[in-house]
Amino acid sequence: MNISEKRRVSGSNNEVKGDEMKFRDEKRPKVSNISTRSIPLSFKLVRKIKRQGELDLLYFQRLIPEKLATNLFQWCLSELPWYRVQYTVGNRHVLTPRWTTLFGKDFTPHTPTDKVYRRKPQPIPKRLIDLVKLMESYIDQVNNSNEIIIQKNSTPSSSHDIRTMFSRVTSKKTPKPESTADDTSSILQQPLAGPPNSTPQGKAPNKSIDYDRTAFNIVLLNYYETGSDSISYHSDDESFLGVNPTIASFTLGGSRDFLMKHKVNSDLKEKFTFANGDCLVMQGGTQSNWLHAIPKRNTAVQPRINITLRKSISIEGTNNYYKFNVGDGAAYRYRQGKMVPEMS
Ligand SMILES: O=C(O)CCC(=O)C(=O)O
Ligand SMILES: [Fe+2]
């Protein structure tokens, strides 16, 4: 039995051999065409990262305050069904090396749904819809702004507020305001990579890339229970995601390394270690030019849940997602510290 995983049949895939991928600082790309911008959005920080090789990222650090992120982690783990998908490609049997679950469907109009879908799409749970709406709004705001705003007490500019949203997750009690330790003001006291001058007002939006208005319809969750759980190098560049797809990817719970490498230029590599509450948005040419992975680790790592938001533009896309992330096997529920198959 082959336990390595080919991520998706139609995407670009490279097998990753566990920890063999090493990043040495001296091998990092030259800074010549690097621009990293920092924009505080209401009470948080986002970095626009545009680098050589069409890397185009938005890095929302500590977007979800820690306690709320931990609470959402626990809610996802205990309330959602999870799958350990197995599938066959040719004569190769693949065990997906992590738990997955999926919600949502493409926006294609069709009836009756059960005739076209291989597996009935599951509605996105309300709490996750809130996350979707929030991120759509944040991403559009950041992409439509070319401003570098450095101010201590910025007011929320989104109609969605992450604390309001997650107050549902934090159960009956009214959430206490978070300490300001995570707020933009304190982060901005530290110098960040970016243009030296900051101009608070009056700049026209950056028109060099036309980003579509963000509209997610698929919520895919990955649960990495131990360091043996992983996702091999791949890119989410399938045609059913459209051209230059935008994918938002949250980390809840434990930190894991997230590696990126350029598909052609082996000098171009990136490494992030995402923490509880972080969100990375991959957009523009990122998927067509880069691969990403969460490698296995044999050091102690805490369980991590990843929530990714994306858009399927066709029924085929939705079917593909359910095939590789829900599959045909049993649903599992997390009960008393372990995954148990659900009684059907
Ligand atoms: O867990 C992560 O951060 C990455 C997940 C991922 O790349 C995917 O589901 O396509
Ligand atoms: Fe991915």
Side-chain angles (χ1 to χ4, degrees):
M1 191 179 291
N2 188 345
I3 57 156
S4 66
E5 179 210 26
K6 189 170 191 290
R7 170 67 174 148
R8 288 187 188 98
V9 176
S10 53
S12 301
N13 292 274
N14 273 7
E15 290 301 327
V16 66
K17 294 198 181 66
D19 297 352
E20 283 169 25
M21 204 64 215
K22 293 273 188 294
F23 286 85
R24 282 176 296 147
D25 280 343
E26 64 274 19
K27 292 278 274 181
R28 291 284 171 81
K30 297 247 160 32
V31 288
S32 50
N33 51 359
I34 290 180
S35 103
T36 304
R37 296 203 161 133
S38 309
I39 301 176
L41 266 190
S42 57
F43 39 81
K44 293 294 170 190
L45 178 83
V46 55
R47 289 180 195 174
K48 285 187 175 182
I49 303 172
K50 287 179 193 277
R51 291 192 182 155
Q52 203 180 332
E54 290 195 47
L55 187 71
D56 187 343
L57 308 172
L58 307 177
Y59 184 10
F60 295 80
Q61 269 179 288
R62 291 175 275 176
L63 176 61
I64 308 176
E66 197 174 348
K67 274 190 206 153
L68 300 181
T70 302
N71 198 292
L72 185 60
F73 170 91
Q74 276 153 2
W75 180 84
C76 291
L77 188 58
S78 56
E79 298 300 323
L80 303 179
W82 291 95
Y83 305 90
R84 199 84 187 188
V85 176
Q86 305 191 23
Y87 55 95
T88 305
V89 187
N91 54 6
R92 208 167 72 103
H93 189 68
V94 179
L95 302 180
T96 302
R98 63 191 172 278
W99 296 95
T100 51
T101 195
L102 188 86
F103 303 94
K105 66 181 176 75
D106 52 280
F107 297 133
T108 319
H110 43 256
T111 50
T113 51
D114 57 352
K115 289 267 161 44
V116 290
Y117 288 112
R118 196 180 154 266
R119 188 179 173 123
K120 195 170 176 242
Q122 295 304 303
I124 302 174
K126 176 75 183 82
R127 282 167 188 169
L128 300 181
I129 288 183
D130 288 345
L131 193 65
V132 170
K133 294 292 156 218
L134 182 92
M135 275 325 287
E136 287 173 347
S137 150
Y138 276 14
I139 293 166
D140 290 344
Q141 282 181 56
V142 176
N143 283 332
N144 288 322
S145 165
N146 203 23
E147 296 176 7
I148 310 298
I149 304 167
I150 298 187
Q151 55 188 48
K152 284 202 169 181
N153 301 311
S154 48
T155 47
S157 50
S158 165
S159 55
H160 298 275
D161 181 305
I162 201 145
R163 288 179 194 134
T164 317
M165 174 185 100
F166 282 103
S167 59
R168 286 192 208 97
V169 181
T170 51
S171 74
K172 296 108 214 157
K173 281 190 273 168
T174 310
K176 279 194 260 149
E178 292 296 310
S179 89
T180 54
D182 272 359
D183 284 0
T184 332
S185 50
S186 61
I187 293 168
L188 288 172
Q189 280 157 12
Q190 302 153 20
L192 291 158
N197 57 340
S198 62
T199 43
Q201 285 137 11
K203 280 213 177 159
N206 181 357
K207 290 287 179 211
S208 57
I209 299 178
D210 265 342
Y211 297 101
D212 284 347
R213 207 181 63 75
T214 316
F216 298 119
N217 54 24
I218 296 281
V219 179
L220 159 62
L221 292 95
N222 295 295
Y223 171 46
Y224 305 85
E225 195 167 27
T226 68
S228 305
D229 284 348
S230 62
I231 188 164
S232 57
Y233 266 116
H234 68 282
S235 57
D236 299 299
D237 61 352
E238 297 93 341
S239 57
F240 54 71
L241 288 175
V243 180
N244 291 341
T246 298
I247 296 178
S249 178
F250 288 87
T251 290
L252 303 174
S255 295
R256 287 291 292 262
D257 290 341
F258 181 88
L259 309 184
M260 302 190 79
K261 66 177 181 185
H262 193 267
K263 288 183 185 178
V264 179
N265 184 344
S266 60
D267 287 340
L268 301 183
K269 295 170 185 171
E270 298 291 336
K271 178 183 179 183
F272 297 90
T273 304
F274 294 131
N276 192 16
D278 283 356
C279 179
L280 182 79
V281 175
M282 294 179 272
Q283 60 180 13
T286 304
Q287 298 300 336
S288 33
N289 293 283
W290 291 74
L291 302 167
H292 56 274
I294 301 277
K296 295 187 191 305
R297 291 290 180 236
N298 47 26
T299 49
V301 291
Q302 293 301 311
R304 168 180 182 265
I305 287 178
N306 161 252
I307 304 180
T308 70
L309 315 180
R310 45 189 92 200
K311 183 170 84 173
S312 164
I313 61 170
S314 66
I315 294 162
E316 294 70 33
T318 305
N319 280 338
N320 184 290
Y321 271 117
Y322 279 92
K323 177 173 179 190
F324 291 108
N325 298 287
V326 173
D328 301 313
Y332 284 71
R333 294 281 174 176
Y334 189 77
R335 298 284 175 262
Q336 291 162 349
K338 59 177 201 276
M339 290 289 190
V340 291
E342 200 172 57
M343 295 300 161
S344 50

